[in-house]
Amino acid sequence: MKNILSSIVMFVVSVVVALGIGEAALRFKNADMRNYDIEMWRYALELKKRSDDPVLGHDHQRSKSAVLQSVEIRTNELGLRGGPTPPVEPGQRRILFLGSSVTLGWGVPEKDTVEARLQEMFKAQGDNVVVMNAGIGNYNAERYAQRFLTELTATQPTDIVVHYFVRDAEKLDAGGGNWFLRNSQLAVTLWIAGSRLFGEAGEKSLVDHYKQVYEPSQPGYQAMLAALKRLKDYAASKNIRVYLAMTPDVHDLVDYKFDFIHERMKAVAGEDGFRYVDLLPAMRNLKPEELWSMPGDPHPNGLGHKLMAQALFPALQLDK
């Protein structure tokens, strides 16, 4: 019996030591911030918090800062990216961007985001305009509309830009994971590897996935429609101009496969009274190495944000 117990203890100790060495090795390897999955995990750990609102799932921590993927991301008193929200001034135009990680500007310095670029473009022509960034990673239309209506109406926007991404009609779970996934890079790495090994992969499966997402009977699609309608109704009651900026998936912009989503959302925008701006023409035919934030990270880089700002500026100019 003593020999059996001794063997069990030795086995447990060996496993714990091996896991500890593996965790330490991974943290050392990922210290260069070049692992996209781990940087997203750190983002959830350092800048997000679980929300009491079940629709949101999570929210930004307020007045926090972290260096993620070698870029500083700071949040203000409202959880928006950037410095303190400027107070309302008479005659001031206030443009609020709603969206997910593309809107946030994942992997892009704050000064190079679409919001900051638009701010500078308006400033250059002497306009009193404030552009605010309410993007949060892993949000969809249901979440960012809910967040605005429950947390951000005090920003008093004169304009709302729904920075819509192709996946914003997906139904998202609350997330959070277990203790190991929240605290261990090794556990996260193994979980991601398993998901990719046993899950579908490739462009064809992604096209099939989105075709299913945009089936009118899908709950995520219906939630997206309802969220945009709530946003439209609120905007109409407050005389707020609303825009839908359709952001493409940037995996392959040369042989683009998701035009059907753009056509669908153009129709939705028209029905709801959103001014529709398609950002695909501004980026079409660019290759991943030109546009991706870094290898393995399909978020638009600074060039992508510049092109989006240039495409949006004329549409926003119409309401000067």
Side-chain angles (χ1 to χ4, degrees):
M1 182 60 71
K2 285 184 178 180
N3 287 338
I4 293 173
L5 289 174
S6 177
S7 296
I8 292 173
V9 170
M10 288 297 296
F11 174 77
V12 171
V13 170
S14 298
V15 168
V16 170
V17 170
L19 291 175
I21 292 172
E23 180 73 23
L26 270 177
R27 287 180 181 263
F28 178 77
K29 174 183 176 295
N30 294 328
D32 62 359
M33 301 187 186
R34 302 293 293 173
N35 186 318
Y36 166 66
D37 295 314
I38 293 301
E39 291 306 292
M40 274 291 185
W41 171 79
R42 289 185 54 234
Y43 170 40
L45 199 66
E46 297 181 32
L47 288 185
K48 292 181 183 178
K49 63 178 181 178
R50 184 174 290 277
S51 173
D52 294 330
D53 186 337
V55 175
L56 299 184
H58 63 272
D59 204 340
H60 271 164
Q61 296 184 50
R62 273 51 171 168
S63 302
K64 296 278 287 186
S65 176
V67 177
L68 303 163
Q69 211 160 285
S70 300
V71 170
E72 182 189 22
I73 296 179
R74 57 174 182 156
T75 62
N76 68 13
E77 75 284 357
L78 295 175
L80 309 183
R81 184 176 183 185
T85 304
V88 178
E89 298 177 1
Q92 184 183 68
R93 191 173 176 198
R94 298 170 68 83
I95 304 173
L96 179 68
F97 271 69
L98 303 179
S100 56
S101 53
V102 174
T103 309
L104 173 74
W106 176 259
V108 177
E110 187 178 306
K111 65 180 179 61
D112 295 330
T113 61
V114 61
E115 296 86 0
R117 289 180 182 276
L118 285 169
Q119 178 84 66
E120 289 304 308
M121 292 164 84
F122 280 112
K123 182 179 178 182
Q125 60 183 27
D127 293 332
N128 183 12
V129 179
V130 170
V131 185
M132 299 169 282
N133 182 350
I136 294 188
N138 199 33
Y139 259 32
N140 58 11
E142 181 182 27
R143 287 182 174 179
Y144 52 69
Q146 175 77 357
R147 182 176 180 236
F148 169 72
L149 292 170
T150 58
E151 298 181 3
L152 299 177
T153 57
T155 58
Q156 298 186 49
T158 58
D159 305 75
I160 294 175
V161 178
V162 173
H163 200 197
Y164 191 92
F165 185 57
V166 294
R167 67 169 297 188
D168 285 358
E170 289 182 339
K171 196 69 177 174
L172 302 176
D173 59 37
N178 56 42
W179 185 90
F180 290 104
L181 289 177
R182 288 194 302 271
N183 294 279
S184 169
Q185 289 192 17
L186 179 60
V188 171
T189 301
L190 292 173
W191 182 83
I192 291 170
S195 298
R196 290 175 179 167
L197 179 64
F198 296 108
E200 293 186 59
E203 187 176 58
K204 183 177 183 303
S205 66
L206 195 58
V207 172
D208 292 341
H209 167 73
Y210 280 133
K211 283 182 176 178
Q212 183 178 12
V213 166
Y214 282 86
E215 281 291 325
S217 60
Q218 289 295 311
Y221 181 79
Q222 289 298 319
M224 176 271 291
L225 293 179
L228 293 183
K229 185 178 185 306
R230 290 196 304 274
L231 203 56
K232 174 202 74 170
D233 290 344
Y234 178 87
S237 73
K238 300 292 184 181
N239 257 349
I240 298 172
R241 293 171 288 258
V242 287
Y243 306 78
L244 193 146
M246 182 68 217
T247 311
D249 181 290
V250 299
H251 279 89
D252 184 357
L253 291 165
V254 176
D255 184 22
Y256 195 66
K257 295 291 197 299
F258 306 109
D259 291 284
F260 67 94
I261 301 177
H262 293 241
E263 289 302 315
R264 178 72 60 85
M265 294 311 300
K266 183 178 181 180
V268 169
E271 292 168 5
D272 282 344
F274 287 73
R275 175 168 291 161
Y276 180 78
V277 183
D278 196 336
L279 302 178
L280 175 60
M283 293 186 278
R284 194 185 283 275
N285 294 325
L286 287 176
K287 297 177 181 178
E289 58 268 25
E290 298 176 277
L291 195 64
W292 285 21
S293 183
M294 72 175 188
D297 176 8
H299 281 85
N301 58 15
L303 172 62
H305 278 253
K306 178 181 179 180
L307 294 173
M308 289 190 288
Q310 290 173 343
L312 274 165
F313 192 57
L316 294 170
Q317 283 278 78
L318 295 177
D319 289 314
K320 279 184 61 179

